[in-house]
């Protein structure tokens, strides 16, 4: 009987350990590492696509999409629709795609740096306040919310 009680307690302990709760410090470190990997996927100002609907869509749905949550991936078609491919604008990309810029007929990567963060333990998310490394008129700052999905930290949303 004693042996059964110990086995049950051991099982419960292992279950609780395996299902461990949200660890803010671990969440911060892992999500920051993943966001940094995203920012350094390409060199700052590197050409990543042609300025066409097909090319931008292919880029966003390609390798870079590993950093996007399923929710963010679902928004990509609508975000691409908002880009005025037929017109020339200083900043044609919606804020959610601020990591991209246009120069002539090319789409270029914009590298960001993390300035600050906020941990939301209730929703198990980490929000990063980031700023483009570029200074001057083209500089930009946004907040990026990261969430854990499938064991990896991914971009849930980008807001200005």
């Amino acid at each position: 009987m004693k042996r059964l009680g110990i086995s049950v307690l051991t099982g419960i302990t292992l279950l609780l350990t395996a299902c461990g709760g949200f660890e803010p410090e671990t969440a911060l470190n892992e999500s920051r590492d993943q966001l940094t990997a995203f920012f350094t996927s390409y060199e700052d100002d590197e050409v990543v696509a042609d300025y066409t609907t097909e090319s931008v869509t292919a880029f966003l749905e390609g390798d870079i999409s590993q950093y996007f949550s399923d929710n963010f991936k679902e928004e990509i078609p609508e975000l691409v629709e908002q880009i005025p491919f037929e017109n020339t604008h200083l900043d044609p990309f919606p804020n959610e795609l601020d990591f991209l810029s246009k120069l002539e007929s090319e789409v270029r990567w914009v590298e960001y740096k993390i300035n600050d963060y906020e941990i939301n333990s209730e929703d198990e998310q980490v929000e990063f306040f980031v700023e483009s490394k570029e200074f001057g008129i083209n500089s930009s700052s946004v907040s990026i919310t990261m969430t854990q999905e499938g064991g990896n930290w991914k971009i849930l949303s980008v807001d200005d």
Side-chain angles (χ1 to χ4, degrees), residues 4 31 33 35-36 41 51 74 78 122 137-138 156:
L4 178 64
S31 61
D33 289 348
L35 188 57
T36 300
S41 296
Y51 190 63
E74 289 175 10
E78 183 180 323
E122 186 175 315
I137 193 166
N138 294 324
L156 176 65

Side-chain angles (χ1 to χ4, degrees), residues 3-74:
R3 190 172 277 213
L4 178 64
I6 291 173
S7 295
V8 170
L9 286 176
T10 302
I12 291 172
T13 302
L14 287 173
L15 182 62
L16 290 174
T17 303
C19 297
F22 181 76
E23 295 289 332
E25 188 172 330
T26 301
L28 172 63
N29 292 333
E30 290 176 357
S31 61
R32 180 177 38 219
D33 289 348
Q34 188 72 347
L35 188 57
T36 300
F38 171 73
F39 288 150
T40 58
S41 296
Y42 299 90
E43 296 291 322
D44 192 37
D45 210 31
E46 181 178 344
V47 176
V48 294
D50 293 325
Y51 190 63
T52 65
T53 303
E54 297 79 17
S55 186
V56 171
T57 300
F59 172 73
L60 292 172
E61 292 176 347
D63 292 342
I64 201 72
S65 70
Q66 70 179 324
Y67 295 102
F68 304 149
S69 68
D70 289 341
N71 185 50
F72 192 83
K73 287 177 188 177
E74 289 175 10

Side-chain angles (χ1 to χ4, degrees), residues 70-88:
D70 289 341
N71 185 50
F72 192 83
K73 287 177 188 177
E74 289 175 10
E75 294 178 22
I76 288 175
E78 183 180 323
L79 293 171
V80 172
E81 277 183 28
Q82 294 176 32
I83 301 170
F85 289 103
E86 63 284 346
N87 297 325
T88 303

